[in-house]
Amino acid sequence: MAQWTSAVGAAQLARLLKSQQDRPAGPGARRPPAYRALADGIRLLVLEGRVPVAARLPAERELALSLSVSRTTVAAAYEALRGEGFLESRRGAGSWTAVPAGNPVPARGLEPLPPEALGSMIDLGCAALPAPEPWLTRAVQGALEELPPYAHTHGDYPAGLPALRSMIAERYTERGIPTMPEQIMVTTGAMGAIDAICHLFGGRGERIAVESPSYANILQLMREAGARLVPVAMAEGLSGWDMDRWRQVLRDAAPRIAYVVADFHNPTGALADEDQRRRLVDSARSAGTVLIADETMTELWLDDMRMPRPVCAFDPAGSTVITVGSASKAFWAGMRIGWVRAAPDVIRSLVAARAYADLGTPVLEQLAVNWLFGTGGWEQAVQVRREQARSNRDELVAAVRRELPGWEFEVPQGGLTLWVRTGGLSGSRLAEAGERVGVRVPSGPRFGVDGAFEGYVRLPFTVGGAVAEEAAVRLAAAAGLVESGGVGGGEAPRTFVA
């Protein structure tokens, strides 16, 4: 009986491996043998979760043809991987990926660092800050005071607590977007909201247009839902969205859904202007595409500025844009409260479908967010969050520029992330080297489709002061390991030679 649970085709694996090629060699870097470079490339893909564990790999001859190398090279690479515990084989069943005994199974998204590792590892993987106190404690205390009447009910509110739905609708109305409670559904975080929308509109095999790069966990959610992702390249730096490219993709590919983060995009930090928002909505409407506008970062402006109107402001009929919001980024990731704003008929369909998913969102957390909204505590807590993120951003930027002057990035006006070009170094190898020297950083390919952005890493504003300085020092040490060929038996593979 085969031990594999999925399969990776030769063409797909070749594309993923190609993303690790053509990186400039660092001074003194060692060029590994072709089989070793191939084995290292596959091992990195497994360690990052871009090729899942227990995935059947192509036959040696098939992969050799896709890579234009000899079958001997592939056979030697597979043998090396078997010896290191990253591959298992059985005659008649093929070969499938594995991890050595005692190693954690790699996650395919951006999972938080385990608490037991926090003492020795600086975590730049999770773009989330500690809770803003005393507002979290006060909100929970306020929620407990409001809880008794709800405790006498069944506790299931598939659309969300009526009081919180009304409060969220009122907040949209205050932003100039008239909204009724019937247009709001409360969800378990933004991920829960987007998952519900994708299942309602997407379906297995449906096309979803996504920014390239985009938020890694959302990309993985959509992949696992069976979607066919259609990447739309972002412009360089913070200029953001190429509207001509978006119009062409929406017209030619006709995706059922498009997903965008117009407010301090994750990971680039770009902010769409009003003309970009208007043109994007017009293009989606013309193509018959449902546009998901992720607003989880919208309140995290860090510099003095005037924010553009929400994306849904350019869809007055409510037929095209579905807006997703959340308390997780602006307040605290442990507060798993999100929401959807859409046309009433869409909300009714989402609520009906929820009966087969999670039934509803925890009442106590909804009451806590409602307390924050109703007392002014939200605005005060978010102001604390902005000040903390602004300070962290400035300190991290200064530290990285000092320790890694060859790395390139633009400083965003808001959000929680820097998108950094690593001077030609492999982001995957930097991530692996970072684990060795005590800093955890996600590589660029996690934010792309089919291995794009190998020359990037994402750095969140989650640390400041001395910790930011030490993080930059450790990143520089990781870069030194990669440049010297001290990761994975050599430099990232440039070309495969028989």
Side-chain angles (χ1 to χ4, degrees), residues 124-471:
L124 297 181
C126 188
L129 291 161
E133 288 286 24
W135 303 109
L136 173 62
T137 299
R138 292 180 182 176
V140 173
Q141 290 171 341
L144 287 171
E145 293 175 1
E146 298 292 330
L147 182 61
Y150 295 93
H152 294 291
T153 72
H154 49 64
D156 286 336
Y157 296 88
L161 294 184
L164 181 56
R165 295 176 73 197
S166 295
M167 187 69 74
I168 294 171
E170 182 180 329
R171 291 175 66 83
Y172 275 106
T173 301
E174 290 172 353
R175 294 170 65 191
I177 316 297
T179 303
M180 304 178 295
E182 292 79 9
Q183 292 177 262
I184 301 296
M185 181 176 84
V186 180
T187 62
T188 307
M191 291 285 288
I194 294 168
D195 183 56
I197 296 166
C198 288
H199 278 89
L200 179 63
F201 289 98
R204 186 163 293 275
E206 290 281 3
R207 294 184 180 93
I208 300 181
V210 295
E211 297 146 328
S212 182
S214 187
Y215 179 38
N217 286 339
I218 292 297
L219 294 180
Q220 191 56 35
L221 180 155
M222 292 173 175
R223 290 188 189 101
E224 294 185 358
R228 297 163 61 190
L229 300 184
V230 182
V232 186
M234 298 282 285
E236 285 294 318
L238 297 179
S239 53
W241 293 259
D242 184 331
M243 288 301 107
D244 292 336
R245 189 174 293 164
W246 267 101
R247 184 185 303 109
Q248 180 181 355
V249 169
L250 294 177
R251 182 190 64 221
D252 295 347
R256 186 69 182 93
I257 299 171
Y259 168 77
V260 298
V261 185
D263 299 297
F264 308 119
H265 175 258
N266 187 352
T268 69
L271 176 67
D273 61 32
E274 292 208 353
D275 181 61
Q276 289 171 322
R277 295 166 190 243
R278 180 184 294 106
R279 293 174 64 188
L280 183 58
V281 172
D282 289 346
S283 296
R285 184 183 298 114
S286 297
T289 298
V290 174
L291 182 62
I292 303 175
D294 186 335
E295 287 193 336
T296 54
M297 297 282 192
T298 192
E299 296 196 61
L300 289 176
W301 44 266
L302 307 182
D303 299 329
D304 290 334
M305 59 184 299
R306 180 178 179 182
M307 287 290 292
R309 286 179 290 169
V311 174
C312 59
F314 303 96
D315 180 37
S319 60
T320 300
V321 178
I322 297 178
T323 303
V324 171
S326 172
S328 296
K329 295 298 186 183
F331 186 76
W332 185 45
M335 188 70 77
R336 305 304 305 160
I337 297 295
W339 52 85
V340 178
R341 181 198 180 273
D345 62 320
V346 172
I347 294 297
R348 286 193 293 271
S349 296
L350 288 170
V351 171
R354 196 172 194 180
Y356 308 102
D358 64 355
L359 293 178
T361 302
V363 170
L364 188 63
E365 292 183 25
Q366 292 188 72
L367 289 172
V369 172
N370 193 59
W371 183 92
L372 288 166
F373 285 158
T375 62
W378 176 268
E379 285 71 22
Q380 296 175 64
V382 171
Q383 182 58 33
V384 170
R385 169 68 77 242
R386 291 191 193 108
E387 292 170 358
Q388 184 179 15
R390 183 187 304 115
S391 176
N392 285 356
R393 178 196 64 181
D394 296 345
E395 291 165 351
L396 183 64
V397 164
V400 172
R401 282 178 172 164
R402 181 177 61 252
E403 299 294 335
L404 293 150
W407 288 18
E408 302 172 21
F409 54 87
E410 293 188 37
V411 181
Q413 293 182 288
L416 288 172
T417 57
L418 285 179
W419 185 236
V420 181
R421 192 193 300 268
T422 57
L425 298 179
S426 162
S428 298
R429 296 197 183 279
L430 281 166
E432 183 186 12
E435 296 279 349
R436 297 188 186 185
V437 300
V439 59
R440 182 171 178 263
V441 59
S443 67
R446 293 206 170 202
F447 303 88
V449 176
D450 277 347
F453 308 110
E454 183 63 49
Y456 290 82
V457 294
R458 190 194 72 172
L459 304 181
F461 318 144
T462 53
V463 296
V467 179
E469 293 179 7
E470 179 61 22

Side-chain angles (χ1 to χ4, degrees), residues 13 17 32-44 46 57-60 63-64 67 69-89 95-97 493 496-497:
L13 184 56
L17 289 165
Y35 84 89
R36 183 68 261 174
L38 176 54
D40 288 345
I42 294 174
R43 181 177 54 80
L44 275 175
V46 173
L57 295 186
E60 294 170 1
L63 184 57
L67 295 175
V69 302
S70 71
R71 182 177 177 183
T72 302
T73 297
V74 177
Y78 279 13
E79 182 60 34
L81 290 168
R82 277 190 287 269
E84 296 163 2
F86 285 95
L87 197 68
E88 296 180 9
S89 303
S95 300
W96 55 92
T97 56
F496 295 118
V497 181

Side-chain angles (χ1 to χ4, degrees), residues 25-30 404 407 422-423 425 476 478-487 491:
R30 303 187 303 272
L404 293 150
W407 288 18
T422 57
L425 298 179
L481 278 175
V482 176
E483 288 175 341
S484 66
V487 178
E491 181 212 354

